[in-house]
Short mmCIF file of all heavy atoms in Angstrom, two decimals:
data_model
loop_
_atom_site.label_atom_id
_atom_site.label_comp_id
_atom_site.label_asym_id
_atom_site.label_seq_id
_atom_site.Cartn_x
_atom_site.Cartn_y
_atom_site.Cartn_z
N SER A 1 0.82 -1.21 0.00
CA SER A 1 0.00 0.00 0.00
C SER A 1 0.85 1.26 0.01
O SER A 1 0.39 2.33 -0.44
CB SER A 1 -0.94 0.01 1.21
OG SER A 1 -0.20 -0.01 2.42
N TRP A 2 2.10 1.18 0.48
CA TRP A 2 2.96 2.36 0.47
C TRP A 2 3.28 2.78 -0.95
O TRP A 2 3.44 3.98 -1.23
CB TRP A 2 4.23 2.09 1.26
CG TRP A 2 4.03 2.15 2.74
CD1 TRP A 2 3.95 1.10 3.60
CD2 TRP A 2 3.84 3.33 3.53
NE1 TRP A 2 3.72 1.55 4.88
CE2 TRP A 2 3.65 2.90 4.87
CE3 TRP A 2 3.81 4.69 3.23
CZ2 TRP A 2 3.44 3.81 5.90
CZ3 TRP A 2 3.60 5.58 4.27
CH2 TRP A 2 3.42 5.15 5.57
N ALA A 3 3.41 1.84 -1.86
CA ALA A 3 3.64 2.20 -3.26
C ALA A 3 2.44 2.97 -3.82
O ALA A 3 2.61 3.95 -4.57
CB ALA A 3 3.89 0.94 -4.09
N VAL A 4 1.24 2.56 -3.43
CA VAL A 4 0.03 3.24 -3.90
C VAL A 4 -0.02 4.66 -3.37
O VAL A 4 -0.27 5.62 -4.12
CB VAL A 4 -1.22 2.45 -3.45
CG1 VAL A 4 -2.50 3.19 -3.84
CG2 VAL A 4 -1.21 1.05 -4.06
N LEU A 5 0.22 4.84 -2.06
CA LEU A 5 0.14 6.17 -1.48
C LEU A 5 1.26 7.08 -1.97
O LEU A 5 1.05 8.28 -2.20
CB LEU A 5 0.19 6.05 0.04
CG LEU A 5 -1.02 5.35 0.66
CD1 LEU A 5 -0.78 5.08 2.16
CD2 LEU A 5 -2.29 6.17 0.48
N ALA A 6 2.47 6.54 -2.18
CA ALA A 6 3.57 7.35 -2.70
C ALA A 6 3.26 7.85 -4.10
O ALA A 6 3.52 9.02 -4.44
CB ALA A 6 4.87 6.54 -2.69
N SER A 7 2.69 6.98 -4.93
CA SER A 7 2.30 7.40 -6.28
C SER A 7 1.24 8.47 -6.24
O SER A 7 1.27 9.44 -7.03
CB SER A 7 1.80 6.18 -7.07
OG SER A 7 1.30 6.56 -8.32
N ALA A 8 0.28 8.34 -5.32
CA ALA A 8 -0.78 9.34 -5.21
C ALA A 8 -0.21 10.72 -4.83
O ALA A 8 -0.62 11.74 -5.39
CB ALA A 8 -1.81 8.89 -4.18
N VAL A 9 0.71 10.75 -3.89
CA VAL A 9 1.30 12.02 -3.49
C VAL A 9 2.09 12.64 -4.64
O VAL A 9 2.00 13.85 -4.91
CB VAL A 9 2.20 11.83 -2.26
CG1 VAL A 9 3.00 13.09 -1.94
CG2 VAL A 9 1.36 11.43 -1.05
N ALA A 10 2.88 11.82 -5.34
CA ALA A 10 3.66 12.33 -6.46
C ALA A 10 2.75 12.90 -7.56
O ALA A 10 3.04 13.94 -8.16
CB ALA A 10 4.55 11.24 -7.02
N THR A 11 1.64 12.22 -7.81
CA THR A 11 0.69 12.69 -8.82
C THR A 11 0.09 14.02 -8.43
O THR A 11 -0.05 14.93 -9.26
CB THR A 11 -0.42 11.64 -9.02
OG1 THR A 11 0.17 10.41 -9.49
CG2 THR A 11 -1.45 12.13 -10.02
N LEU A 12 -0.28 14.18 -7.17
CA LEU A 12 -0.86 15.43 -6.70
C LEU A 12 0.13 16.58 -6.88
O LEU A 12 -0.22 17.67 -7.36
CB LEU A 12 -1.26 15.32 -5.23
CG LEU A 12 -1.84 16.58 -4.60
CD1 LEU A 12 -3.12 17.01 -5.26
CD2 LEU A 12 -2.04 16.38 -3.09
N VAL A 13 1.38 16.36 -6.50
CA VAL A 13 2.41 17.40 -6.65
C VAL A 13 2.59 17.77 -8.12
O VAL A 13 2.70 18.96 -8.46
CB VAL A 13 3.73 16.93 -6.02
CG1 VAL A 13 4.86 17.91 -6.35
CG2 VAL A 13 3.60 16.77 -4.52
N ALA A 14 2.59 16.78 -8.99
CA ALA A 14 2.77 17.05 -10.43
C ALA A 14 1.63 17.90 -10.97
O ALA A 14 1.86 18.84 -11.76
CB ALA A 14 2.87 15.73 -11.18
N TRP A 15 0.40 17.59 -10.57
CA TRP A 15 -0.74 18.38 -11.04
C TRP A 15 -0.67 19.82 -10.51
O TRP A 15 -0.96 20.78 -11.25
CB TRP A 15 -2.06 17.76 -10.58
CG TRP A 15 -2.61 16.69 -11.48
CD1 TRP A 15 -2.77 15.39 -11.20
CD2 TRP A 15 -3.09 16.87 -12.84
NE1 TRP A 15 -3.32 14.71 -12.27
CE2 TRP A 15 -3.52 15.60 -13.28
CE3 TRP A 15 -3.16 17.96 -13.70
CZ2 TRP A 15 -4.04 15.40 -14.56
CZ3 TRP A 15 -3.68 17.77 -14.98
CH2 TRP A 15 -4.11 16.49 -15.40
N VAL A 16 -0.32 20.00 -9.25
CA VAL A 16 -0.27 21.34 -8.67
C VAL A 16 0.78 22.18 -9.41
O VAL A 16 0.52 23.35 -9.77
CB VAL A 16 0.05 21.27 -7.17
CG1 VAL A 16 0.37 22.66 -6.61
CG2 VAL A 16 -1.13 20.66 -6.41
N LEU A 17 1.96 21.60 -9.66
CA LEU A 17 3.00 22.37 -10.34
C LEU A 17 2.63 22.68 -11.79
O LEU A 17 3.07 23.70 -12.34
CB LEU A 17 4.32 21.56 -10.30
CG LEU A 17 4.94 21.38 -8.92
CD1 LEU A 17 6.20 20.50 -9.01
CD2 LEU A 17 5.27 22.71 -8.27
N LEU A 18 1.80 21.85 -12.40
CA LEU A 18 1.38 22.10 -13.77
C LEU A 18 0.29 23.16 -13.85
O LEU A 18 0.30 24.02 -14.74
CB LEU A 18 0.89 20.80 -14.40
CG LEU A 18 0.37 20.92 -15.84
CD1 LEU A 18 1.53 21.19 -16.81
CD2 LEU A 18 -0.39 19.67 -16.25
N LEU A 19 -0.68 23.10 -12.92
CA LEU A 19 -1.87 23.93 -13.05
C LEU A 19 -1.78 25.26 -12.29
O LEU A 19 -2.55 26.17 -12.61
CB LEU A 19 -3.09 23.15 -12.54
CG LEU A 19 -3.42 21.86 -13.26
CD1 LEU A 19 -4.65 21.20 -12.65
CD2 LEU A 19 -3.64 22.10 -14.75
N ALA A 20 -0.90 25.37 -11.33
CA ALA A 20 -0.82 26.62 -10.56
C ALA A 20 -0.45 27.82 -11.44
O ALA A 20 -1.07 28.87 -11.32
CB ALA A 20 0.15 26.46 -9.40
N PRO A 21 0.56 27.73 -12.32
CA PRO A 21 0.86 28.88 -13.19
C PRO A 21 -0.24 29.10 -14.21
O PRO A 21 -0.88 28.16 -14.68
CB PRO A 21 2.19 28.47 -13.86
CG PRO A 21 2.74 27.36 -13.03
CD PRO A 21 1.55 26.65 -12.47
N SER A 22 -0.42 30.36 -14.59
CA SER A 22 -1.49 30.71 -15.55
C SER A 22 -0.98 30.79 -16.98
O SER A 22 -1.72 31.26 -17.85
CB SER A 22 -2.12 32.04 -15.14
OG SER A 22 -1.15 33.07 -15.12
N THR A 23 0.24 30.37 -17.23
CA THR A 23 0.82 30.42 -18.58
C THR A 23 1.23 29.01 -18.99
O THR A 23 1.45 28.14 -18.15
CB THR A 23 2.05 31.34 -18.60
OG1 THR A 23 3.00 30.89 -17.61
CG2 THR A 23 1.64 32.78 -18.31
N PRO A 24 1.36 28.77 -20.31
CA PRO A 24 1.81 27.45 -20.77
C PRO A 24 3.17 27.08 -20.17
O PRO A 24 4.04 27.95 -19.98
CB PRO A 24 1.88 27.61 -22.29
CG PRO A 24 0.91 28.69 -22.59
CD PRO A 24 1.00 29.64 -21.43
N ARG A 25 3.34 25.82 -19.93
CA ARG A 25 4.56 25.33 -19.29
C ARG A 25 5.59 24.93 -20.35
O ARG A 25 5.25 24.55 -21.47
CB ARG A 25 4.26 24.11 -18.42
CG ARG A 25 3.32 24.37 -17.26
CD ARG A 25 3.92 25.30 -16.21
NE ARG A 25 3.82 26.71 -16.57
CZ ARG A 25 4.68 27.66 -16.17
NH1 ARG A 25 5.72 27.35 -15.43
NH2 ARG A 25 4.51 28.91 -16.53
N PRO A 26 6.88 25.04 -20.00
CA PRO A 26 7.92 24.60 -20.94
C PRO A 26 7.84 23.10 -21.18
O PRO A 26 7.30 22.34 -20.38
CB PRO A 26 9.21 25.00 -20.24
CG PRO A 26 8.85 25.13 -18.80
CD PRO A 26 7.44 25.60 -18.77
N MET A 27 8.41 22.68 -22.28
CA MET A 27 8.32 21.29 -22.67
C MET A 27 8.91 20.35 -21.63
O MET A 27 8.39 19.28 -21.37
CB MET A 27 9.02 21.07 -24.02
CG MET A 27 8.85 19.70 -24.61
SD MET A 27 7.12 19.35 -25.06
CE MET A 27 7.27 17.70 -25.76
N TRP A 28 10.01 20.79 -20.98
CA TRP A 28 10.65 19.90 -20.01
C TRP A 28 9.72 19.62 -18.83
O TRP A 28 9.68 18.51 -18.30
CB TRP A 28 11.98 20.48 -19.52
CG TRP A 28 11.85 21.70 -18.64
CD1 TRP A 28 11.95 23.01 -19.03
CD2 TRP A 28 11.63 21.72 -17.23
NE1 TRP A 28 11.78 23.86 -17.96
CE2 TRP A 28 11.58 23.10 -16.83
CE3 TRP A 28 11.44 20.75 -16.26
CZ2 TRP A 28 11.36 23.51 -15.52
CZ3 TRP A 28 11.21 21.14 -14.94
CH2 TRP A 28 11.18 22.50 -14.58
N GLN A 29 8.93 20.65 -18.41
CA GLN A 29 8.02 20.43 -17.29
C GLN A 29 6.88 19.52 -17.71
O GLN A 29 6.43 18.67 -16.90
CB GLN A 29 7.47 21.77 -16.77
CG GLN A 29 6.61 21.59 -15.53
CD GLN A 29 6.13 22.89 -14.94
OE1 GLN A 29 6.61 23.96 -15.30
NE2 GLN A 29 5.16 22.82 -14.03
N LEU A 30 6.36 19.69 -18.91
CA LEU A 30 5.32 18.78 -19.39
C LEU A 30 5.85 17.35 -19.46
O LEU A 30 5.11 16.39 -19.17
CB LEU A 30 4.84 19.23 -20.78
CG LEU A 30 4.15 20.59 -20.83
CD1 LEU A 30 3.80 20.94 -22.27
CD2 LEU A 30 2.89 20.61 -19.97
N ALA A 31 7.12 17.20 -19.82
CA ALA A 31 7.71 15.86 -19.89
C ALA A 31 7.82 15.23 -18.50
O ALA A 31 7.49 14.05 -18.30
CB ALA A 31 9.08 15.93 -20.55
N VAL A 32 8.25 16.03 -17.52
CA VAL A 32 8.34 15.50 -16.14
C VAL A 32 6.95 15.13 -15.63
O VAL A 32 6.76 14.09 -14.99
CB VAL A 32 9.00 16.56 -15.23
CG1 VAL A 32 8.91 16.11 -13.76
CG2 VAL A 32 10.44 16.77 -15.63
N PHE A 33 5.98 15.98 -15.93
CA PHE A 33 4.61 15.68 -15.54
C PHE A 33 4.14 14.35 -16.13
O PHE A 33 3.55 13.51 -15.43
CB PHE A 33 3.71 16.83 -16.02
CG PHE A 33 2.24 16.55 -15.93
CD1 PHE A 33 1.58 16.59 -14.72
CD2 PHE A 33 1.51 16.25 -17.07
CE1 PHE A 33 0.22 16.32 -14.63
CE2 PHE A 33 0.14 15.99 -17.00
CZ PHE A 33 -0.50 16.03 -15.78
N ALA A 34 4.41 14.13 -17.43
CA ALA A 34 4.01 12.89 -18.07
C ALA A 34 4.67 11.67 -17.44
O ALA A 34 4.04 10.62 -17.26
CB ALA A 34 4.32 12.94 -19.57
N VAL A 35 5.94 11.82 -17.07
CA VAL A 35 6.66 10.72 -16.44
C VAL A 35 6.03 10.36 -15.09
O VAL A 35 5.83 9.18 -14.76
CB VAL A 35 8.15 11.08 -16.27
CG1 VAL A 35 8.87 10.06 -15.38
CG2 VAL A 35 8.83 11.13 -17.64
#
């Protein structure tokens, strides 16, 4: 279950970093988000 919860936390952080700015993100950040 720790793998499940760790993945959930990482996903939440990725979404926040993507959606918080009001401008398009650079390609490298979109790539990290996808990973």
